[in-house]
Amino acid sequence: MGRRQDQIAGQRFGSLTAAEPTAERKNGYTVWRCVCDCGKEALVSSRHLKKGWKTDCGCGMGKEREPDLTGQRFGKLTVLGPEESPEAGGRVQWRCRCDCGARITADTGRLTGGYRKSCGCLARTERKDWIGRTFGSLTVTAYDGKRGGRHYWRCVCLCGGEAVVSQSNLQGGHTKSCGCLWDPASTRHFVDGTCIESIRSRRVSAGNRSGVRGVYRNNRTGRWAAQITFRGKTRYLGSFDSLEEAAGARAEAEKIFDDFLKQHGDTGAETMPCAVAGGTHG
């Protein structure tokens, strides 16, 4: 340890000159008695000296010696300029803008040492490209936006129901259906993979925020979109300026259900548990 201590003895760190080590240690690092250019002394750990976290005794002389990081990039952060922070013991804090748009402050050591590379968004869950993927009985049909830091997806269930499910619940296998799997005793009647009870009831799922089945708002464009699922295939009906227009397109498309019910509504239906049925409708 003595050899390492001698390596910084007499060295300058900002306005501080390392004079001699003390017997005190802070977080495992030797605390040095330092002499400031203003004539005062200060006790500083070797880590704080080497990282540039402490450059004077508190008089402010060392601030002029800190590097100017304005305009430099560190990971996703761009430094906008300095900001005084009394909580940082007189050290310069840097105002930074993250590529995601958020703004934070960070000190010189954390930026130059690679400890701070974003506002924290690098640790957040990234949005997946899941349209068309199947999770249990659910098939993802559209992205439903981000709320409370979580991504949500609009899904069609094998039984014909709809559900809006968080990305984490889909990925973790916590949600596998619109809720029909929780009732193993229930049965539905399917013809060519289409659930007769589902299209007859025209039930709107609890997660549907438009109030119209098969209609949702595209959070990216702000427009209303409509779609319909029949015999295992989902057909996109278009994008509209108003909810009324989207609902009208959906109502027009649902005429195919009326024809289907006339043919199969009361006869010829195969009975099977909704949990294993292979068709979709929505």
Side-chain angles (χ1 to χ4, degrees), residues 43-56:
L43 296 177
V44 188
S45 74
S46 58
R47 186 186 187 200
H48 280 65
L49 289 172
K50 292 178 179 180
K51 292 291 186 180
W53 297 345
K54 187 72 173 179
T55 56
D56 57 49

Side-chain angles (χ1 to χ4, degrees), residues 122-141:
L122 286 177
R124 298 172 192 161
T125 303
E126 296 293 333
R127 171 181 164 182
K128 308 291 185 179
D129 183 12
W130 276 358
I131 295 179
R133 285 195 56 178
T134 298
F135 299 86
S137 297
L138 296 173
T139 298
V140 179
T141 59

Side-chain angles (χ1 to χ4, degrees), residues 208-266:
N208 187 320
R209 292 181 291 167
S210 71
V212 182
R213 192 171 188 181
V215 174
Y216 62 94
R217 190 163 194 168
N218 187 315
N219 290 323
R220 183 177 60 82
T221 64
R223 292 168 60 83
W224 293 94
Q227 64 184 28
I228 191 168
T229 303
F230 184 63
R231 289 180 171 169
K233 295 183 179 181
T234 298
R235 184 162 63 94
Y236 182 66
L237 302 176
S239 175
F240 306 89
D241 292 328
S242 67
L243 173 60
E244 291 74 16
E245 291 177 297
R250 168 72 188 205
E252 181 67 24
E254 283 186 357
K255 290 180 179 179
I256 193 173
F257 295 159
D258 298 332
D259 295 336
F260 181 82
L261 287 175
K262 288 179 182 178
Q263 297 179 45
H264 307 288
D266 298 313

Side-chain angles (χ1 to χ4, degrees), residues 11-205:
Q11 290 187 23
R12 288 181 59 86
F13 301 89
S15 293
L16 294 174
T17 299
E20 61 180 4
T22 68
E24 183 181 351
R25 296 181 70 83
K26 185 176 182 180
N27 296 327
Y29 294 87
T30 301
V31 175
W32 282 73
R33 184 179 65 84
C34 303
V35 178
C36 184
D37 287 349
C38 72
K40 295 181 180 180
E41 293 187 351
L43 296 177
V44 188
S45 74
S46 58
R47 186 186 187 200
H48 280 65
L49 289 172
K50 292 178 179 180
K51 292 291 186 180
W53 297 345
K54 187 72 173 179
T55 56
D56 57 49
C57 67
C59 63
M61 295 185 65
K63 294 177 184 177
E64 297 178 357
R65 297 180 179 270
E66 287 209 20
D68 185 3
L69 304 183
T70 303
Q72 295 189 38
R73 283 185 62 86
F74 299 90
K76 296 180 68 175
L77 296 175
T78 299
V79 180
L80 302 177
E83 180 177 273
E84 297 300 324
S85 175
E87 295 80 7
R91 297 194 303 272
V92 174
Q93 295 282 302
W94 298 94
R95 293 179 288 106
C96 305
R97 181 183 64 244
C98 186
D99 288 347
C100 74
R103 302 200 177 199
I104 64 163
T105 58
D107 63 42
T108 302
R110 293 190 66 79
L111 290 170
T112 58
Y115 301 111
R116 199 66 194 263
K117 298 180 180 180
S118 74
C119 67
C121 61
L122 286 177
R124 298 172 192 161
T125 303
E126 296 293 333
R127 171 181 164 182
K128 308 291 185 179
D129 183 12
W130 276 358
I131 295 179
R133 285 195 56 178
T134 298
F135 299 86
S137 297
L138 296 173
T139 298
V140 179
T141 59
Y143 181 61
D144 200 62
K146 187 176 183 180
R147 301 181 287 280
R150 306 176 74 185
H151 296 289
Y152 285 84
W153 296 91
R154 182 171 299 277
C155 307
V156 173
C157 186
L158 286 177
C159 76
E162 297 176 338
V164 176
V165 188
S166 70
Q167 181 169 291
S168 58
N169 281 349
L170 287 173
Q171 185 167 323
H174 305 302
T175 304
K176 299 180 180 180
S177 75
C178 67
C180 61
L181 291 181
W182 292 106
D183 185 10
S186 66
T187 58
R188 302 280 180 98
H189 297 84
F190 285 83
V191 175
D192 295 334
T194 298
C195 178
I196 294 176
E197 286 79 6
S198 181
I199 63 174
R200 181 186 289 129
S201 68
R202 311 290 169 95
R203 175 176 60 90
V204 178
S205 69

